[in-house]
Amino acid sequence: MGVPAARIVFDESDRTAVAEAVAEILATGALTLGPWTERFEQAFAAEHGASHAVAVSSGTAALEVILRSVDVRDRDVIVPAVTFYATAGAVLHAGGRPVIADVDRATLALSPDTLEAALTPGTAAVVLVHIGGLITPDAEALRAVCNRRGIPLVEDAAHAHGSSLDGRAAGSFGLAGAFSFYPTKVTTSGEGGMILTESPELRDEARIYRDQGKGSFTTNHHVRPGYSWRMSELNAAVGAVHLRRLKEFIETRRAVARRYDAALAGLDGLEPVLEPAGCRSNYYKYVALLPPGVERAEFKRAVAEEHGVRLSGEVYDLPLHLQPVLAPYRRGPLPVAEDVCARQICLPVHSDMTEDEAEQVIEAVSAVHRRLAGQRP
Ligand SMILES: *Cc1c(COP(=O)(O)O)cnc(C)c1O
């Protein structure tokens, strides 16, 4: 029995709840922007202590809608080098220029220093990404840097459903937070995204943008260059049912992470990215850095072939400034990002992971580490 890289968990009662919701949606014919979207929005906002939520078709759309509302056209938007392509992609789609900043080694996020180093006179916004679900303890300091210059801080919280720092939920540290419900994320709607904000103006703009820029649902006056960014009622029902599991999923994921923390503490040179004080990560990913000189591909191959354990996808294996499509925005080396992207592995974490599975992962990683790290020159 091996351990897969990821597992998407809808138990039988959840599958039944979704099937019943789908039957109801099809019977009524209210297939988009209906009661399930509203229910999902309200539940997701409540889960994060947010005043407003706007559901959209993807996490990328959520980011783009926020950036369009801010209006970043022909201006710079600072993004960390360690993130998914979509963080920068949304900036491009919104008409802005990504400025790619280095990250802090301990948190894989922007720090006040890396942010200051990247700021330009034309900076229109800053995007903070909660890699793996971990919220940097610098979040407040980053916001202060932005506030001093009157620049909005936006959170890419695609990884961070239910994560918090000092009791404050992801999505509440800046002007707005963008969440993704892509299948691999901690909760999913199949495809989908959500914007959380305290700003009623941003909420209203987001509702206009997601529905072709229409001034209202019932008129045909288009007041913004919007797009087809709606979430279907079918997706909203899946998301609303899955969201009910968020707390227990996070409990399970955190218990796995505590086992990994304890086991990795005994492995010389293998450095887990530890949860900082005050941070309560949802452990979307459990990230660790391999000792310098240990080949990631060889390490992953050995745990898979010799122990049946599939490591999960990295976050990320190539920093943004080295992505071919972003070459025009490359300015120079970003040494910390390059190092943490080259050396990281992600141990599998599932929302229903058993103790046996976690132990199998620990045994596999320990055995392969002993062999490969022992062979280093
Ligand atoms: C998944 C993800 C996105 C994009 O979400 P989609 O729903 O796939 O559009 C954006 N940013 C990060 C960091 C992500 O992991």
Side-chain angles (χ1 to χ4, degrees), residues 57-61 63 83-87 129-131 156-159 179-182 184-185 191-193 284 315-316:
S57 55
S58 71
T60 313
L63 274 173
T83 185
F84 185 51
Y85 162 72
T87 313
V129 186
H130 307 308
I131 289 294
D156 180 339
H159 293 188
F179 292 78
S180 164
F181 303 109
Y182 186 76
T184 59
K185 306 293 159 80
E191 294 279 4
Y284 171 58
V315 282
Y316 288 85

mmCIF file of all heavy atoms in Angstrom, residues 57-61 63 83-87 129-131 156-159 179-182 184-185 191-193 284 315-316, ligand 1:
data_model
loop_
_atom_site.group_PDB
_atom_site.id
_atom_site.type_symbol
_atom_site.label_atom_id
_atom_site.label_comp_id
_atom_site.label_asym_id
_atom_site.label_seq_id
_atom_site.Cartn_x
_atom_site.Cartn_y
_atom_site.Cartn_z
ATOM 1 N N SER A 57 -15.186 32.496 -11.069
ATOM 2 C CA SER A 57 -14.961 31.228 -11.767
ATOM 3 C C SER A 57 -13.621 30.567 -11.462
ATOM 4 O O SER A 57 -13.441 29.388 -11.752
ATOM 5 C CB SER A 57 -15.080 31.463 -13.275
ATOM 6 O OG SER A 57 -14.190 32.508 -13.648
ATOM 7 N N SER A 58 -12.665 31.293 -10.896
ATOM 8 C CA SER A 58 -11.361 30.703 -10.565
ATOM 9 C C SER A 58 -10.614 31.628 -9.612
ATOM 10 O O SER A 58 -10.986 32.808 -9.439
ATOM 11 C CB SER A 58 -10.508 30.506 -11.827
ATOM 12 O OG SER A 58 -10.061 31.759 -12.325
ATOM 13 N N GLY A 59 -9.531 31.094 -9.051
ATOM 14 C CA GLY A 59 -8.673 31.913 -8.204
ATOM 15 C C GLY A 59 -7.979 33.003 -9.011
ATOM 16 O O GLY A 59 -7.778 34.118 -8.524
ATOM 17 N N THR A 60 -7.617 32.668 -10.250
ATOM 18 C CA THR A 60 -6.975 33.658 -11.113
ATOM 19 C C THR A 60 -7.936 34.806 -11.404
ATOM 20 O O THR A 60 -7.551 35.984 -11.379
ATOM 21 C CB THR A 60 -6.528 33.008 -12.440
ATOM 22 O OG1 THR A 60 -5.844 31.789 -12.144
ATOM 23 C CG2 THR A 60 -5.618 33.919 -13.219
ATOM 24 N N ALA A 61 -9.210 34.463 -11.658
ATOM 25 C CA ALA A 61 -10.228 35.495 -11.892
ATOM 26 C C ALA A 61 -10.387 36.360 -10.638
ATOM 27 O O ALA A 61 -10.521 37.591 -10.738
ATOM 28 C CB ALA A 61 -11.563 34.849 -12.268
ATOM 29 N N LEU A 63 -8.144 37.134 -8.417
ATOM 30 C CA LEU A 63 -7.019 38.080 -8.380
ATOM 31 C C LEU A 63 -7.184 39.162 -9.433
ATOM 32 O O LEU A 63 -6.965 40.353 -9.166
ATOM 33 C CB LEU A 63 -5.708 37.334 -8.674
ATOM 34 C CG LEU A 63 -4.999 36.667 -7.511
ATOM 35 C CD1 LEU A 63 -3.826 35.846 -8.049
ATOM 36 C CD2 LEU A 63 -4.511 37.693 -6.496
ATOM 37 N N THR A 83 5.856 31.620 -6.179
ATOM 38 C CA THR A 83 4.402 31.500 -6.270
ATOM 39 C C THR A 83 4.046 30.839 -7.577
ATOM 40 O O THR A 83 4.901 30.562 -8.412
ATOM 41 C CB THR A 83 3.703 32.872 -6.144
ATOM 42 O OG1 THR A 83 2.271 32.678 -6.131
ATOM 43 C CG2 THR A 83 4.040 33.795 -7.311
ATOM 44 N N PHE A 84 2.752 30.557 -7.747
ATOM 45 C CA PHE A 84 2.238 29.957 -8.965
ATOM 46 C C PHE A 84 2.193 31.016 -10.058
ATOM 47 O O PHE A 84 2.012 32.213 -9.773
ATOM 48 C CB PHE A 84 0.827 29.425 -8.666
ATOM 49 C CG PHE A 84 0.194 28.667 -9.797
ATOM 50 C CD1 PHE A 84 0.856 27.630 -10.436
ATOM 51 C CD2 PHE A 84 -1.092 28.987 -10.209
ATOM 52 C CE1 PHE A 84 0.242 26.933 -11.470
ATOM 53 C CE2 PHE A 84 -1.710 28.292 -11.236
ATOM 54 C CZ PHE A 84 -1.037 27.264 -11.878
ATOM 55 N N TYR A 85 2.325 30.575 -11.295
ATOM 56 C CA TYR A 85 2.299 31.498 -12.439
ATOM 57 C C TYR A 85 1.103 32.448 -12.386
ATOM 58 O O TYR A 85 1.220 33.635 -12.748
ATOM 59 C CB TYR A 85 2.281 30.706 -13.755
ATOM 60 C CG TYR A 85 1.830 31.565 -14.892
ATOM 61 C CD1 TYR A 85 2.668 32.561 -15.399
ATOM 62 C CD2 TYR A 85 0.531 31.463 -15.411
ATOM 63 C CE1 TYR A 85 2.242 33.411 -16.400
ATOM 64 C CE2 TYR A 85 0.098 32.307 -16.415
ATOM 65 C CZ TYR A 85 0.953 33.280 -16.903
ATOM 66 O OH TYR A 85 0.526 34.129 -17.880
ATOM 67 N N ALA A 86 -0.060 31.947 -11.930
ATOM 68 C CA ALA A 86 -1.297 32.742 -11.971
ATOM 69 C C ALA A 86 -1.194 34.057 -11.210
ATOM 70 O O ALA A 86 -1.880 35.024 -11.549
ATOM 71 C CB ALA A 86 -2.470 31.931 -11.429
ATOM 72 N N THR A 87 -0.351 34.123 -10.174
ATOM 73 C CA THR A 87 -0.207 35.377 -9.420
ATOM 74 C C THR A 87 0.269 36.485 -10.360
ATOM 75 O O THR A 87 -0.272 37.600 -10.356
ATOM 76 C CB THR A 87 0.792 35.211 -8.255
ATOM 77 O OG1 THR A 87 0.493 34.013 -7.542
ATOM 78 C CG2 THR A 87 0.746 36.401 -7.311
ATOM 79 N N VAL A 129 1.543 36.299 -0.954
ATOM 80 C CA VAL A 129 1.066 34.926 -1.191
ATOM 81 C C VAL A 129 1.375 34.081 0.044
ATOM 82 O O VAL A 129 2.491 34.121 0.559
ATOM 83 C CB VAL A 129 1.759 34.308 -2.434
ATOM 84 C CG1 VAL A 129 1.157 32.942 -2.750
ATOM 85 C CG2 VAL A 129 1.640 35.234 -3.641
ATOM 86 N N HIS A 130 0.386 33.319 0.516
ATOM 87 C CA HIS A 130 0.572 32.485 1.712
ATOM 88 C C HIS A 130 0.958 31.073 1.269
ATOM 89 O O HIS A 130 0.118 30.173 1.176
ATOM 90 C CB HIS A 130 -0.712 32.440 2.532
ATOM 91 C CG HIS A 130 -1.256 33.799 2.875
ATOM 92 N ND1 HIS A 130 -0.485 34.777 3.469
ATOM 93 C CD2 HIS A 130 -2.480 34.342 2.701
ATOM 94 C CE1 HIS A 130 -1.225 35.859 3.657
ATOM 95 N NE2 HIS A 130 -2.430 35.628 3.187
ATOM 96 N N ILE A 131 2.259 30.901 0.973
ATOM 97 C CA ILE A 131 2.704 29.638 0.381
ATOM 98 C C ILE A 131 2.490 28.454 1.336
ATOM 99 O O ILE A 131 2.897 28.497 2.494
ATOM 100 C CB ILE A 131 4.192 29.743 -0.027
ATOM 101 C CG1 ILE A 131 4.337 30.664 -1.234
ATOM 102 C CG2 ILE A 131 4.797 28.369 -0.343
ATOM 103 C CD1 ILE A 131 3.701 30.163 -2.526
ATOM 104 N N ASP A 156 -2.954 36.784 -2.198
ATOM 105 C CA ASP A 156 -3.241 35.574 -2.964
ATOM 106 C C ASP A 156 -3.316 34.460 -1.921
ATOM 107 O O ASP A 156 -2.295 33.933 -1.476
ATOM 108 C CB ASP A 156 -2.143 35.310 -3.992
ATOM 109 C CG ASP A 156 -2.418 34.041 -4.808
ATOM 110 O OD1 ASP A 156 -3.196 33.194 -4.339
ATOM 111 O OD2 ASP A 156 -1.843 33.908 -5.905
ATOM 112 N N ALA A 157 -4.550 34.161 -1.497
ATOM 113 C CA ALA A 157 -4.777 33.190 -0.428
ATOM 114 C C ALA A 157 -5.261 31.856 -1.004
ATOM 115 O O ALA A 157 -5.949 31.094 -0.331
ATOM 116 C CB ALA A 157 -5.780 33.746 0.582
ATOM 117 N N ALA A 158 -4.842 31.573 -2.243
ATOM 118 C CA ALA A 158 -5.260 30.328 -2.901
ATOM 119 C C ALA A 158 -4.918 29.098 -2.067
ATOM 120 O O ALA A 158 -5.642 28.098 -2.101
ATOM 121 C CB ALA A 158 -4.601 30.224 -4.283
ATOM 122 N N HIS A 159 -3.814 29.185 -1.304
ATOM 123 C CA HIS A 159 -3.373 28.036 -0.509
ATOM 124 C C HIS A 159 -3.943 28.053 0.907
ATOM 125 O O HIS A 159 -3.685 27.116 1.658
ATOM 126 C CB HIS A 159 -1.844 28.064 -0.355
ATOM 127 C CG HIS A 159 -1.072 27.858 -1.612
ATOM 128 N ND1 HIS A 159 0.292 27.703 -1.619
ATOM 129 C CD2 HIS A 159 -1.461 27.764 -2.904
ATOM 130 C CE1 HIS A 159 0.721 27.539 -2.868
ATOM 131 N NE2 HIS A 159 -0.329 27.580 -3.671
ATOM 132 N N PHE A 179 -9.086 33.632 -3.205
ATOM 133 C CA PHE A 179 -8.990 32.201 -2.891
ATOM 134 C C PHE A 179 -9.293 31.393 -4.147
ATOM 135 O O PHE A 179 -10.017 31.860 -5.034
ATOM 136 C CB PHE A 179 -10.000 31.829 -1.800
ATOM 137 C CG PHE A 179 -9.685 32.440 -0.462
ATOM 138 C CD1 PHE A 179 -9.983 33.777 -0.194
ATOM 139 C CD2 PHE A 179 -9.085 31.695 0.547
ATOM 140 C CE1 PHE A 179 -9.685 34.355 1.041
ATOM 141 C CE2 PHE A 179 -8.786 32.261 1.784
ATOM 142 C CZ PHE A 179 -9.085 33.591 2.034
ATOM 143 N N SER A 180 -8.746 30.182 -4.210
ATOM 144 C CA SER A 180 -8.999 29.284 -5.348
ATOM 145 C C SER A 180 -9.647 27.998 -4.840
ATOM 146 O O SER A 180 -9.299 27.508 -3.760
ATOM 147 C CB SER A 180 -7.680 28.930 -6.033
ATOM 148 O OG SER A 180 -7.838 27.809 -6.880
ATOM 149 N N PHE A 181 -10.558 27.454 -5.637
ATOM 150 C CA PHE A 181 -11.162 26.149 -5.314
ATOM 151 C C PHE A 181 -10.824 25.108 -6.371
ATOM 152 O O PHE A 181 -11.597 24.204 -6.651
ATOM 153 C CB PHE A 181 -12.684 26.291 -5.148
ATOM 154 C CG PHE A 181 -13.057 27.295 -4.108
ATOM 155 C CD1 PHE A 181 -13.611 28.509 -4.464
ATOM 156 C CD2 PHE A 181 -12.808 27.042 -2.763
ATOM 157 C CE1 PHE A 181 -13.919 29.464 -3.515
ATOM 158 C CE2 PHE A 181 -13.115 27.989 -1.795
ATOM 159 C CZ PHE A 181 -13.679 29.204 -2.175
ATOM 160 N N TYR A 182 -9.651 25.257 -6.977
ATOM 161 C CA TYR A 182 -9.114 24.237 -7.881
ATOM 162 C C TYR A 182 -9.073 22.906 -7.115
ATOM 163 O O TYR A 182 -8.915 22.905 -5.889
ATOM 164 C CB TYR A 182 -7.704 24.686 -8.326
ATOM 165 C CG TYR A 182 -7.093 23.798 -9.359
ATOM 166 C CD1 TYR A 182 -7.508 23.859 -10.686
ATOM 167 C CD2 TYR A 182 -6.115 22.871 -9.004
ATOM 168 C CE1 TYR A 182 -6.959 23.025 -11.634
ATOM 169 C CE2 TYR A 182 -5.559 22.031 -9.950
ATOM 170 C CZ TYR A 182 -5.990 22.112 -11.272
ATOM 171 O OH TYR A 182 -5.450 21.272 -12.201
ATOM 172 N N THR A 184 -7.069 20.584 -6.247
ATOM 173 C CA THR A 184 -6.031 20.213 -5.270
ATOM 174 C C THR A 184 -6.058 21.083 -4.021
ATOM 175 O O THR A 184 -5.365 20.768 -3.049
ATOM 176 C CB THR A 184 -4.620 20.374 -5.878
ATOM 177 O OG1 THR A 184 -4.460 21.740 -6.279
ATOM 178 C CG2 THR A 184 -4.425 19.446 -7.068
ATOM 179 N N LYS A 185 -6.789 22.175 -4.017
ATOM 180 C CA LYS A 185 -6.740 23.083 -2.867
ATOM 181 C C LYS A 185 -7.462 22.456 -1.668
ATOM 182 O O LYS A 185 -8.136 21.440 -1.796
ATOM 183 C CB LYS A 185 -7.350 24.445 -3.248
ATOM 184 C CG LYS A 185 -6.702 25.070 -4.504
ATOM 185 C CD LYS A 185 -5.241 25.486 -4.319
ATOM 186 C CE LYS A 185 -4.450 25.621 -5.606
ATOM 187 N NZ LYS A 185 -4.625 26.847 -6.357
ATOM 188 N N GLU A 191 -13.998 23.792 -9.980
ATOM 189 C CA GLU A 191 -13.251 24.994 -10.366
ATOM 190 C C GLU A 191 -13.954 26.146 -9.666
ATOM 191 O O GLU A 191 -15.170 26.104 -9.472
ATOM 192 C CB GLU A 191 -13.305 25.241 -11.883
ATOM 193 C CG GLU A 191 -12.616 24.200 -12.740
ATOM 194 C CD GLU A 191 -11.097 24.391 -12.842
ATOM 195 O OE1 GLU A 191 -10.545 25.293 -12.174
ATOM 196 O OE2 GLU A 191 -10.490 23.609 -13.600
ATOM 197 N N GLY A 192 -13.207 27.177 -9.318
ATOM 198 C CA GLY A 192 -13.859 28.327 -8.707
ATOM 199 C C GLY A 192 -12.892 29.195 -7.944
ATOM 200 O O GLY A 192 -11.728 28.827 -7.747
ATOM 201 N N GLY A 193 -13.379 30.356 -7.535
ATOM 202 C CA GLY A 193 -12.570 31.274 -6.747
ATOM 203 C C GLY A 193 -13.467 32.147 -5.895
ATOM 204 O O GLY A 193 -14.691 32.168 -6.078
ATOM 205 N N TYR A 284 -1.790 23.203 3.604
ATOM 206 C CA TYR A 284 -2.028 22.847 2.197
ATOM 207 C C TYR A 284 -0.820 22.068 1.684
ATOM 208 O O TYR A 284 -0.970 21.081 0.963
ATOM 209 C CB TYR A 284 -2.256 24.116 1.386
ATOM 210 C CG TYR A 284 -2.293 23.891 -0.094
ATOM 211 C CD1 TYR A 284 -3.211 23.012 -0.662
ATOM 212 C CD2 TYR A 284 -1.408 24.549 -0.950
ATOM 213 C CE1 TYR A 284 -3.240 22.799 -2.028
ATOM 214 C CE2 TYR A 284 -1.449 24.341 -2.315
ATOM 215 C CZ TYR A 284 -2.360 23.458 -2.842
ATOM 216 O OH TYR A 284 -2.382 23.249 -4.199
ATOM 217 N N VAL A 315 5.898 23.816 -4.331
ATOM 218 C CA VAL A 315 5.332 25.182 -4.362
ATOM 219 C C VAL A 315 6.472 26.201 -4.229
ATOM 220 O O VAL A 315 6.541 26.856 -3.234
ATOM 221 C CB VAL A 315 4.295 25.376 -3.245
ATOM 222 C CG1 VAL A 315 2.967 24.743 -3.578
ATOM 223 C CG2 VAL A 315 4.808 24.837 -1.917
ATOM 224 N N TYR A 316 7.346 26.391 -5.213
ATOM 225 C CA TYR A 316 7.248 25.841 -6.561
ATOM 226 C C TYR A 316 8.642 25.416 -6.982
ATOM 227 O O TYR A 316 9.609 25.829 -6.364
ATOM 228 C CB TYR A 316 6.628 26.880 -7.491
ATOM 229 C CG TYR A 316 5.140 27.020 -7.166
ATOM 230 C CD1 TYR A 316 4.724 27.876 -6.149
ATOM 231 C CD2 TYR A 316 4.194 26.249 -7.816
ATOM 232 C CE1 TYR A 316 3.375 27.959 -5.808
ATOM 233 C CE2 TYR A 316 2.842 26.345 -7.489
ATOM 234 C CZ TYR A 316 2.446 27.190 -6.474
ATOM 235 O OH TYR A 316 1.141 27.254 -6.127
HETATM 236 C C1 LIG B 1 -4.171 27.662 -7.561
HETATM 237 C C2 LIG B 1 -3.522 28.985 -7.465
HETATM 238 C C3 LIG B 1 -3.987 30.106 -8.153
HETATM 239 C C4 LIG B 1 -5.001 30.028 -9.254
HETATM 240 O O1 LIG B 1 -6.167 29.447 -8.938
HETATM 241 P P1 LIG B 1 -7.109 28.858 -10.120
HETATM 242 O O2 LIG B 1 -8.373 28.598 -9.384
HETATM 243 O O3 LIG B 1 -6.440 27.639 -10.646
HETATM 244 O O4 LIG B 1 -7.239 29.931 -11.147
HETATM 245 C C5 LIG B 1 -3.404 31.342 -7.903
HETATM 246 N N1 LIG B 1 -2.394 31.471 -7.045
HETATM 247 C C6 LIG B 1 -1.878 30.415 -6.377
HETATM 248 C C7 LIG B 1 -0.755 30.640 -5.419
HETATM 249 C C8 LIG B 1 -2.417 29.138 -6.583
HETATM 250 O O5 LIG B 1 -1.893 28.090 -5.945
#
